[in-house]
Amino acid sequence: MSQAMDVMNIALIIAFAAVALAQVLSMVRLVMGPSVGDRILALDTMVINAIGLIVLMGISQGSTIYFEVSLIIAMLGFVSTVAFARFIMRGDIIE
């Protein structure tokens, strides 16, 4: 039992580090992106990485409330990315 918890803690630490690194790299792409499309994609990736961090936090603390929060953030992130991309392509969101 104790060895399984040690393996789980090590896996969580590695996962936190990997997702945090991905978040930082996405932030670099957001700042340095050569085109607007790259920046929108970086922003969407940052939302996905934030959801991953929230889910990992929920796993590490053993709470299920973080999973509900991640679902709400996923919906908001998708809608905001689509709205932002549509605004860039057409100049307006609502026709």
Side-chain angles (χ1 to χ4, degrees), residues 9-84:
N9 287 336
I10 291 171
L12 280 173
I13 290 170
I14 292 171
F16 269 118
V19 175
L21 178 65
Q23 185 79 341
V24 169
L25 292 175
S26 296
M27 195 176 304
V28 168
R29 174 56 73 187
L30 180 68
V31 172
M32 298 176 56
S35 69
V36 176
D38 292 334
R39 290 184 173 150
I40 292 172
L41 186 61
L43 190 63
D44 192 42
T45 305
M46 286 179 66
V47 170
I48 292 170
N49 290 333
I51 293 168
L53 286 173
I54 291 170
V55 168
L56 286 173
M57 186 178 295
I59 291 171
S60 70
Q61 293 186 0
S63 176
T64 58
I65 190 73
Y66 292 105
F67 301 120
E68 295 170 5
V69 170
S70 66
L71 286 174
I72 292 171
I73 291 175
M75 287 188 296
L76 290 175
F78 174 74
V79 170
S80 65
T81 301
V82 168
F84 190 54

Side-chain angles (χ1 to χ4, degrees), residues 83 86-87 90-95:
R86 191 168 179 167
F87 178 75
R90 296 185 181 172
D92 62 347
I93 297 172
I94 299 171
E95 295 179 33

